[in-house]
Amino acid sequence: MEVLRRSSVFAAEVMEVFDRSPTDKELVSQAKALCRDYINSRLIRAGVSWSKPEYNAPVPGGKLAEVSAILLRLGDELEYIRPNVYRNIARQLNISLHSETVVTDAFLAVAAQIFTAGITWGKVVSLYAVAAGLAVDCVRHAQPAMVHTIVDCLGEFVRKTLVTWLKRRGGWADITKCVVNTDPSLRSHWLVAAVCSFGHFLKAIFFVLLPER
């Protein structure tokens, strides 16, 4: 099974753009690379049986690697607060994983709902946790090709919804400010807000998707 394939040349190109103001295309490429890292981490943690692909993680010490590590760290905290919220996403949404259209529509609907009231890093972390949780569901249900679909969907959502916000903050590296000299209790506060909001979004999306099933 081929999942999360990425060449070392591409990884190097993605890292280099952190040294200057990134373009829209570069921000989307970085978003997808970070999504592959996040999903790969969650697949390993879930102990899902899969044939490991040619997977090149960001070079240790690189800025992309730092962003990925922080994204995963914040994701760990988010998922620790409510461990059941980001698991069994497909079951919670009551969707079939055999249809690319259904998976795509469901993910984009949840993503849109998460950011209805604005954009924060907590919500961005929540988006990645949703993508990874759904990817784990897909692989467990013998639909590994859907992982590529989820990564592409996240990239498209970032292009349409998050790029302008990211550019105002200088790119993905801005997420590092969430953990530098930050009181853990304060960080937990915005993570709790993100996870509580997502819980409500899941219920809303369930009823939105209900007529489709």
Side-chain angles (χ1 to χ4, degrees):
M1 147 187 159
E2 294 187 356
V3 168
L4 316 177
R5 184 178 296 275
R6 178 152 53 91
S7 70
S8 57
V9 173
F10 173 73
E13 291 175 348
V14 170
M15 273 199 318
E16 287 175 2
V17 301
F18 279 94
D19 296 326
R20 54 182 171 76
S21 179
T23 65
D24 292 12
K25 183 177 180 179
E26 289 165 344
L27 285 170
V28 172
S29 294
Q30 292 164 1
K32 293 170 71 173
L34 291 168
C35 187
R36 295 186 189 99
D37 286 343
Y38 201 109
I39 290 174
N40 183 64
S41 172
R42 295 310 183 243
L43 287 172
I44 292 173
R45 187 179 69 181
V48 177
S49 178
W50 58 298
S51 300
K52 191 171 183 179
E54 290 179 15
Y55 178 77
N56 295 282
V59 177
K63 291 184 179 179
L64 181 60
E66 181 183 2
V67 170
S68 181
I70 290 174
L71 183 62
L72 286 166
R73 175 180 170 184
L74 294 175
D76 286 340
E77 293 187 30
L78 188 65
E79 294 168 39
Y80 177 78
I81 294 171
R82 293 286 181 83
N84 294 325
V85 173
Y86 296 97
R87 296 176 185 171
N88 302 311
I89 301 293
R91 181 186 302 171
Q92 293 186 66
L93 294 175
N94 194 25
I95 60 172
S96 168
L97 297 174
H98 298 281
S99 168
E100 183 174 318
T101 299
V102 170
V103 172
T104 297
D105 289 349
F107 178 75
L108 291 177
V110 170
Q113 286 294 321
I114 289 175
F115 294 95
T116 297
I119 305 171
T120 66
W121 278 119
K123 292 180 180 181
V124 172
V125 175
S126 182
L127 177 67
Y128 275 79
V130 173
L134 190 56
V136 170
D137 288 345
C138 289
V139 175
R140 280 177 168 163
H141 288 81
Q143 298 295 326
M146 288 295 182
V147 174
H148 297 290
T149 298
I150 294 169
V151 172
D152 288 341
C153 280
L154 184 141
E156 184 63 12
F157 183 81
V158 168
R159 184 184 70 80
K160 291 182 176 180
T161 308
L162 304 183
V163 158
T164 299
W165 182 83
L166 286 167
K167 290 182 79 171
R168 286 202 300 266
R169 283 156 181 75
W172 287 96
D174 185 69
I175 196 174
T176 60
K177 297 176 183 178
C178 292
V179 294
V180 176
N181 296 323
T182 301
D183 184 336
S185 63
L186 294 177
R187 189 164 68 249
S188 295
H189 176 74
W190 62 261
L191 285 172
V192 168
V195 73
C196 288
S197 296
F198 177 58
H200 293 300
F201 293 148
L202 273 179
K203 293 179 181 179
I205 293 301
F206 175 83
F207 289 107
V208 168
L209 295 176
L210 188 59
E212 302 286 334
R213 293 190 300 276

